[in-house]
Amino acid sequence: MEVFRLMKRKLSLLLVFILLTGVLAGCGGGDVSDDPSPQDEVEIAYYAYNSEPILNWDPSVMFSNGIIVLNNIYETLLRFDPKTKEFDYLLAEDYSVSEDGLTWTFNLREGVKFHDGTEMTAEDVKFSIDRTMELGKGASYIWAAVSEIVAVDDYTVEFKLSYPSPLDLVASSPYAAFIMSKDAVENAEENWFENANEAGSGPYMLESAAMGDEVIMTTFEDYWNGWEGDHFDKVIIKKTSETSSRRQMIEKGDADITQSLPSEDVEALKETDGVEIVVEPSFTNLIGFFNTEKQPLDNPKVRQALSYAFPYQDVVDYAVGGYAKQSIGVIPFGHWGHSDDLFQYTKDLDKAKELLDEAGIQDGELKLLLTYMSGDESEKKSAELYKAELSKIGVELEIRAMPWETQWEMAMNEDPAERQDIFIMYWWPDTSSPYSWLYSLYHSEEEILFNMSYYSNEEFDTIIDNAAEISGTDIEKAEEEFIKAQEILIEDSPSIFMYDKEEVWAINSTFKGFEYNPSYPLVVFFYDTYRSK
Amino acid sequence: MLVKNYIIKRLLLGLMVLFGVILITFFLTRVIPSNPAAQWVGPRATPEQIQQATVELGLDKPIYIQFIKYFKDLLSGNLGYSLRSKQPVINELKTYLPPTLELIFMSTILAVVIGIPLGVNAAKKKDKALDHFCRFFSVGAVSLPTFWVALFLQLIFYRWLDLLPLGGQLDTRIKMLYEIPDYTGFLFLDSLLSGNWVVIKDVFSHMILPAVTIALYPIGLVARMTRSALLEILSEDYIKAARSYGLKERLVLWRYALKNSLGTTVTVLALSIGYTLVNTFLVEAIFSWPGIGSYIATAVVALDYPAIMGVTLFSAFSYILLNLTADIIIALDPRVRV
């Protein structure tokens, strides 16, 4: 018995010892990466992302964050560069469009290999887009104009349209335009995409993925553009939802690039050695839609008055920490179709009061309900600043935070009186065309979808429809028309054009080659980037 | 025999509570104004897509039929599909549960290894410096906000001292360099089994901060409970008798007194694990720990009701199980047995 007790005592001592050594060993954990290993020369890029990198691996369906991953693994026929308004040729070498704008012919790049080793042909392109259209999920509607896709020969694809549409912009969309290996997808077992697999031709291949947490990608040796020059060997995109964690990782150089930091953190990082802050335009803007089917908001004068009462500069300064610009028109800065010459409302309470008087609105008579998406701090602050201004001109504003779906449902109520008076919403383009804003938000709708002003103006509809049709063949002329359409909008003011958001990136100074393309929101094209110490 | 009846009674009661939880959470998540079909198809869906999804998800049927279907699925182990990821919730739970369980396991060990000795020594040195320290520490441990402790520890050990990693379960670079076998799904266990010291070290160092953060509450609780239970027992006659026999104080304290006080401590510990589970929800988000807490945090924000229900059910189930364990421990104590 005594022996047993002694053993027990010794055992517990041993246990404590093991635990202690464990703790000590653990404390040394920070320098694990210094351990010599054969793969030390491997250059790794690290993107600390604020949300799940990807939730849906199906390139036909994915219509969310996942573009930050898929745009490195898959390629599209073209890529749009909003700065030059020109296209980069990826899987297509060139393309042409018939005079009526109804037949688009793409000549494909030869010798492109998919990650499964098969070579890309016209069949793959036809298969990919057909599949996306047939599934009918996600952003597949961007192909709505396409009636038939013909593989003319191995390297020529013809898209036949039922009405003119800028197919080059569609084919360069960040969503639903990916080309995948027909062979790989057809022979895939059930739930192949769901279990994190890919069939792309892009510079990086999927190495491993932890669902909703991180994605590791590695170079694809046979990439058609080759691996000459400096590139990263591997890429990590990891969910890091805490802003304080993202900031500390950038400060210490553990992460190479991140975004969506609060403005206080951005200010602090500006002073940090080895970190660069880059502010870029984004194509996301915040719009406040008036319920134009409800009295007295059906009166343009009242809407103009309310547009004059909005504290644009305060909202930019305090609601988004200065990282935005007051909108001019509905198309954001840097996007084609934007014009600095358009009329811009400024805060002018006297003017607002005058217009309200003209419309016969008494002091204290107007009570409005504004809804915004719960959880969005910038929308909330903007609404509160607006409320303060409105109270000065005798307008009472009730602010209500709602989950997106609920807010949307309220806006679709059959009885206009039951809907909100002002609906705040962000918009960003699904294809890089002014039509994405002007059509989705202001074209007459039979069934309410995103036209939250319930705006309906035949003249406006005709102009943008025509502009959209010619934008595939004559982009300059189309741009003029889209600007003309915005003049009508600004006069009618169915909405407050609040601000165009800017994207703030915090980047490790050894991380080079990054150029933000706002047509592909938050995407880092890692093939272009490299490390330079 | 009596104990057996008691346990059966408690079990049945537990099942009833579980059913109640299912019923309430199901209807609560449906009462919340939201449109799951619109969520299923994403933010820019066409009305046709939404209509199609409504049928696909069975949302066009009356709510009691939906409940019957949900309950039936539940019995066959199907918790439905997450609205965000479109994956079966049961698979997601299987992915996210092991990291959380590891964390809870570690913090419970810490609570026992640190809490009990602290309590015993405080009782031994009643009203001395150590006792005051123990009181100060316990009250602090229980009352400091977890998120504050977590951020504070990160600042010290990651930013300033550079000793421990910021978050996550494993350094991604380590993961890329070494093959970590998947024997059990529990990373720490798997790394131990693999015998790769670099991996073990890394996994362990990632665990320290979150485990300590979570362990603080149970440590404080266990220390206080052990102390007060011991003090009570130390005034009992049989302890006086033991002492008067001239038994060594250490023997009296650790063998005779502590053993008798453990019932209370274990009960408190079992219940505090339930609390710990909820606590991980916050801590995991801060430490980017890929567990059930991070999962529910995103699910709640996105109103992903199948995921919310899945986690709620799991939490309720664990709570009931832990309560049951505590009850059984008490029931097995001969002093309680009637």
Side-chain angles (χ1 to χ4, degrees):
Chain A
M1 212 43 197
E2 200 52 43
V3 177
F4 179 64
R5 263 183 210 162
L6 213 71
M7 261 177 66
K8 232 163 85 177
R9 147 106 27 108
K10 274 190 180 156
L11 266 176
S12 43
L13 267 174
L14 191 72
L15 214 103
V16 170
F17 177 72
I18 291 175
L19 268 171
L20 270 176
T21 43
V23 170
L24 288 176
C27 288
D31 47 45
V32 173
S33 46
D34 298 342
D35 285 359
S37 75
Q39 295 192 38
D40 239 2
E41 295 96 66
V42 171
E43 279 293 2
I44 302 171
Y46 195 115
Y47 183 0
Y49 187 65
N50 56 313
S51 181
E52 288 91 351
I54 185 166
L55 284 170
N56 192 329
W57 281 93
D58 192 325
S60 293
V61 178
M62 194 281 307
F63 189 20
S64 179
N65 304 349
I67 55 167
I68 63 164
V69 173
L70 292 194
N71 273 295
N72 284 293
I73 292 178
Y74 291 88
E75 284 180 309
T76 45
L77 293 170
L78 304 167
R79 184 178 295 160
F80 183 63
D81 184 345
K83 283 181 188 131
T84 59
K85 279 184 259 172
E86 280 174 8
F87 292 92
D88 294 336
Y89 293 90
L90 296 180
L91 296 179
E93 258 180 341
D94 65 83
Y95 67 96
S96 56
V97 54
S98 66
E99 240 167 68
D100 59 1
L102 291 176
T103 307
W104 291 71
T105 312
F106 288 83
N107 293 321
L108 302 180
R109 192 177 292 282
E110 293 184 26
V112 173
K113 279 207 170 138
F114 285 111
H115 300 164
D116 65 350
T118 56
E119 207 191 317
M120 181 196 67
T121 65
E123 277 301 324
D124 294 294
V125 176
K126 176 179 160 54
F127 169 81
S128 303
I129 308 303
D130 273 344
R131 179 175 185 273
T132 301
M133 291 195 296
E134 266 164 40
L135 287 174
K137 294 194 170 152
S140 58
Y141 56 81
I142 60 171
W143 298 99
V146 175
S147 60
E148 200 195 352
I149 305 173
V150 187
V152 180
D153 58 48
D154 269 3
Y155 299 105
T156 314
V157 190
E158 222 172 67
F159 290 80
K160 296 204 187 301
L161 311 191
S162 46
Y163 53 89
S165 162
L167 208 72
D168 42 6
L169 285 171
V170 172
S172 62
S173 161
Y175 315 92
F178 298 114
I179 305 303
M180 60 201 97
S181 157
K182 180 183 180 187
D183 200 51
V185 177
E186 274 191 337
N187 296 321
E189 54 213 79
E190 211 188 330
N191 293 336
W192 191 69
F193 279 124
E194 280 78 358
N195 295 326
N197 288 291
E198 48 100 349
S201 64
Y204 289 93
M205 299 190 293
L206 172 65
E207 179 169 303
S208 70
M211 194 169 61
D213 188 43
E214 70 176 10
V215 173
I216 301 173
M217 296 181 281
T218 185
T219 47
F220 171 50
E221 289 302 329
D222 292 334
Y223 182 54
W224 60 265
N225 209 7
W227 289 99
E228 290 286 307
D230 288 333
H231 300 280
F232 281 103
D233 302 294
K234 292 188 188 239
V235 174
I236 300 168
I237 304 182
K238 191 166 170 67
K239 171 181 164 185
T240 318
S241 42
E242 271 300 302
T243 53
S244 72
S245 301
R246 290 205 300 283
R247 172 182 160 179
Q248 293 189 64
M249 288 177 77
I250 281 285
E251 278 176 333
K252 272 194 60 180
D254 286 347
D256 289 308
I257 185 163
T258 192
Q259 34 68 36
S260 293
L261 291 169
S263 45
E264 308 87 72
D265 287 337
V266 173
E267 291 310 312
L269 283 174
K270 275 184 181 164
E271 309 298 319
T272 310
D273 286 338
V275 180
E276 276 170 39
I277 296 292
V278 178
V279 182
E280 297 269 359
S282 84
F283 291 158
T284 303
N285 53 355
L286 189 66
I287 304 169
F289 298 85
F290 295 122
N291 180 352
T292 61
E293 289 189 347
K294 187 173 168 184
Q295 276 188 334
L297 293 172
D298 54 351
N299 182 349
K301 281 224 168 92
V302 177
R303 302 197 296 259
Q304 285 169 0
L306 293 173
S307 293
Y308 275 116
F310 192 80
Y312 299 95
Q313 199 52 46
D314 288 350
V315 163
V316 166
D317 290 342
Y318 304 115
V320 272
Y323 294 109
K325 280 183 182 169
Q326 181 191 342
S327 304
I328 304 177
V330 68
I331 309 300
F333 286 87
H335 197 285
W336 69 281
H338 171 87
S339 166
D340 281 342
D341 301 331
L342 286 167
F343 176 76
Q344 188 181 30
Y345 287 90
T346 46
K347 193 186 90 175
D348 185 344
L349 293 184
D350 295 333
K351 182 102 183 164
K353 192 83 188 94
E354 203 183 301
L355 283 163
L356 282 182
D357 286 343
E358 275 177 40
I361 306 260
Q362 305 292 319
D363 208 17
E365 187 191 320
L366 193 54
K367 289 188 174 66
L368 299 173
L369 169 67
L370 178 150
T371 64
Y372 74 94
M373 188 171 77
S374 45
D376 191 299
E377 277 300 306
S378 308
E379 288 186 19
K380 181 180 164 198
K381 286 182 193 160
S382 305
E384 280 165 357
L385 289 166
Y386 191 28
K387 180 185 171 124
E389 295 303 324
L390 284 179
S391 70
K392 291 180 197 162
I393 54 166
V395 177
E396 195 184 309
L397 185 72
E398 185 198 334
I399 302 171
R400 205 179 289 169
M402 294 174 128
W404 165 251
E405 289 84 17
T406 324
Q407 182 183 219
W408 200 19
E409 219 152 89
M410 182 179 193
M412 291 189 206
N413 198 303
E414 278 176 26
D415 178 7
E418 293 292 308
R419 301 176 197 150
Q420 75 296 327
D421 300 301
I422 305 173
F423 185 109
I424 301 194
M425 171 171 86
Y426 292 104
W427 194 258
W428 71 98
D430 18 43
T431 53
S432 241
S433 164
Y435 199 52
S436 173
W437 281 270
L438 299 174
Y439 178 82
S440 309
L441 306 178
Y442 299 105
H443 196 283
S444 314
E445 281 178 341
E446 275 183 26
E447 238 178 293
I448 302 164
L449 191 58
F450 286 114
N451 183 346
M452 296 311 172
S453 302
Y454 322 106
Y455 183 70
S456 180
N457 179 335
E458 257 180 57
E459 188 197 351
F460 173 84
D461 290 354
T462 319
I463 296 177
I464 62 166
D465 286 344
N466 287 336
E469 285 193 4
I470 57 169
S471 59
T473 42
D474 187 352
I475 195 165
E476 304 294 332
K477 179 90 179 93
E479 186 165 18
E480 273 171 38
E481 294 295 304
F482 281 131
I483 292 170
K484 209 166 94 190
Q486 288 178 77
E487 282 169 9
I488 301 176
L489 268 192
I490 291 166
E491 179 61 31
D492 277 350
S493 59
S495 308
I496 310 174
F497 308 116
M498 298 179 168
Y499 61 77
D500 300 348
K501 215 177 123 189
E502 287 174 323
E503 218 62 78
V504 185
W505 294 88
I507 304 172
N508 186 326
S509 19
T510 63
F511 184 79
K512 304 282 185 199
F514 171 64
E515 264 184 58
Y516 185 47
N517 182 339
S519 286
Y520 302 83
L522 302 183
V523 174
V524 179
F525 293 105
F526 284 99
Y527 181 73
D528 303 336
T529 62
Y530 57 95
R531 191 174 312 285
S532 148
K533 282 176 181 146
Chain B
M1 208 48 210
L2 269 171
V3 178
K4 200 171 149 198
N5 281 346
Y6 176 76
I7 291 175
I8 290 174
K9 217 171 96 186
R10 300 295 303 184
L11 264 175
L12 287 175
L13 211 67
L15 283 179
M16 272 171 64
V17 171
L18 206 57
F19 182 76
V21 168
I22 296 171
L23 200 71
I24 293 172
T25 42
F26 182 85
F27 284 99
L28 262 186
T29 48
R30 297 307 163 95
V31 171
I32 297 174
S34 82
N35 183 352
Q39 249 171 294
W40 178 261
V41 284
R44 287 206 186 161
T46 58
E48 295 81 51
Q49 284 178 330
I50 295 177
Q51 185 50 38
Q52 200 188 336
T54 309
V55 178
E56 214 175 292
L57 296 173
L59 295 167
D60 50 340
K61 306 220 167 56
I63 188 145
Y64 66 93
I65 295 202
Q66 290 182 41
F67 179 74
I68 293 172
K69 180 167 182 311
Y70 183 82
F71 195 71
K72 260 192 198 156
D73 285 349
L74 210 58
L75 291 180
S76 58
N78 179 359
L79 288 166
Y81 288 82
S82 156
L83 293 180
R84 296 172 66 243
S85 66
K86 321 242 179 323
Q87 300 280 327
V89 172
I90 189 82
N91 287 1
E92 302 207 314
L93 286 184
K94 274 182 203 155
T95 315
Y96 290 112
L97 210 48
T100 300
L101 292 181
E102 279 188 342
L103 214 52
I104 292 176
F105 182 71
M106 275 306 266
S107 64
T108 308
I109 288 185
L110 283 177
V112 172
V113 172
I114 299 175
I116 292 182
L118 201 61
V120 171
N121 283 307
K124 194 164 107 191
K125 302 263 160 75
K126 185 168 176 283
D127 292 332
K128 301 264 174 54
L130 185 75
D131 188 27
H132 292 311
F133 167 76
C134 171
R135 181 176 302 122
F136 180 75
F137 177 81
S138 313
V139 172
V142 172
S143 52
L144 281 177
T146 320
F147 72 92
W148 182 85
V149 173
L151 291 173
F152 192 61
L153 288 178
Q154 277 186 337
L155 193 64
I156 297 177
F157 288 98
Y158 172 76
R159 192 74 188 92
W160 292 345
L161 298 180
D162 197 12
L163 276 178
L164 293 172
L166 182 67
Q169 207 185 1
L170 176 67
D171 190 288
T172 312
R173 291 172 186 93
I174 298 271
K175 191 164 152 190
M176 286 155 73
L177 290 177
Y178 300 96
E179 195 70 31
I180 299 154
D182 183 13
Y183 299 122
T184 58
F186 290 87
L187 187 65
F188 190 46
L189 209 57
D190 285 344
S191 65
L192 279 179
L193 290 174
S194 77
N196 186 331
W197 276 102
V198 181
V199 178
I200 295 173
K201 248 169 77 177
D202 190 61
V203 173
F204 192 79
S205 66
H206 276 84
M207 209 176 222
I208 294 174
L209 288 188
V212 167
T213 311
I214 293 174
L216 277 182
Y217 178 83
I219 289 176
L221 205 63
V222 165
R224 294 301 291 164
M225 284 314 288
T226 307
R227 177 185 174 276
S228 59
L230 256 187
L231 281 179
E232 201 178 305
I233 287 164
L234 284 178
S235 61
E236 297 271 343
D237 286 346
Y238 73 95
I239 297 290
K240 278 184 201 150
R243 279 179 179 153
S244 62
Y245 281 138
L247 291 182
K248 274 184 207 149
E249 182 62 19
R250 202 177 60 210
L251 200 66
V252 174
L253 201 63
W254 287 89
R255 186 160 303 273
Y256 297 109
L258 180 64
K259 239 184 203 168
N260 279 324
S261 76
L262 274 184
T264 333
T265 311
V266 172
T267 312
V268 169
L269 192 67
L271 293 179
S272 82
I273 292 176
Y275 177 83
T276 306
L277 182 68
V278 180
N279 220 353
T280 53
F281 291 3
L282 203 66
V283 175
E284 282 182 6
I286 296 175
F287 285 104
S288 311
W289 192 263
I292 207 96
S294 311
Y295 178 62
I296 184 86
T298 36
V300 166
V301 173
L303 278 180
D304 183 353
Y305 79 90
I308 297 174
M309 287 207 56
V311 178
T312 314
L313 279 183
F314 167 75
S315 308
F317 181 75
S318 327
Y319 244 100
I320 290 166
L321 201 72
L322 289 166
N323 261 304
L324 196 70
T325 318
D327 285 345
I328 291 172
I329 292 168
I330 295 171
L332 289 178
D333 189 333
R335 289 170 303 181
V336 180
R337 222 182 280 170
V338 194

